Amino acid sequence: MVDSIMSHPFPAALAYFSVGILALIVFLSCFEWVTKYDGWSEIRKGNLSAAMATGGKIFGICNIFRFSIEANDTIYQSLLWAAVGFVLLLVAYFLFEFLTPVFRIDEEIERDNRAVGFLALVLSVSLSYIIGAAVI
């Protein structure tokens, strides 16, 4: 049944869109769970660094899902490879925190250090292209 629905462009687009939104919510929630600051609360207070870091995560997650849609035959494969890509993006987040021992990334973003927020955005976006190309 699913395969027959997915053979038509409009229902397939709606399915990928719906699954992509759900994956974005789940994966972004995982990111929020591991960060030491409350991203949405910081954004509500006008913290531009938190907004840039969160925007980079959103772009990165969606970009990885885009690559997985292009490279796979079924929505199930796409979701599986997007999840693998998300785990890699999460690992990259921990490596970013670990490889900058002179300051704590999360603390600097919470303090609205815009240079760190911008760097977090650029890393998430850049690595999403590498991860996306690798999860085919």
Side-chain angles (χ1 to χ4, degrees), residues 1-37:
M1 170 95 173
V2 172
D3 291 333
S4 66
I5 293 171
M6 296 301 287
S7 65
H8 301 288
F10 185 71
L14 284 176
Y16 278 113
F17 177 76
S18 301
V19 170
I21 294 295
L22 179 62
L24 175 62
I25 291 168
V26 169
F27 297 155
L28 194 57
S29 296
C30 292
F31 261 125
E32 288 296 313
W33 184 64
V34 300
T35 55
K36 294 177 180 140
Y37 61 92

Side-chain angles (χ1 to χ4, degrees), residues 61-132:
I61 292 166
C62 291
N63 194 37
I64 290 168
F65 197 67
R66 177 190 72 88
F67 274 99
S68 69
I69 290 170
E70 288 179 347
N72 292 289
D73 294 331
T74 68
I75 197 164
Y76 305 113
Q77 289 174 324
S78 296
L79 188 56
L80 174 68
W81 282 108
V84 169
F86 166 72
V87 169
L88 292 174
L89 194 61
L90 194 60
V91 167
Y93 164 79
F94 286 119
L95 285 173
F96 179 40
E97 183 77 48
F98 177 74
L99 294 175
T100 52
V102 293
F103 55 84
R104 307 281 15 125
I105 303 300
D106 284 350
E107 291 172 8
E108 293 298 318
I109 290 173
E110 190 172 21
R111 284 190 211 125
D112 201 13
N113 182 334
R114 293 176 184 176
V116 174
F118 181 72
L119 187 59
L121 176 140
V122 170
L123 281 171
S124 292
V125 169
S126 300
L127 291 175
S128 75
Y129 281 97
I130 295 169
I131 293 167

Side-chain angles (χ1 to χ4, degrees), residues 34-51:
V34 300
T35 55
K36 294 177 180 140
Y37 61 92
D38 182 354
W40 296 108
S41 174
E42 290 297 320
I43 292 169
R44 191 175 304 112
K45 292 190 283 186
N47 184 329
L48 185 59
S49 299

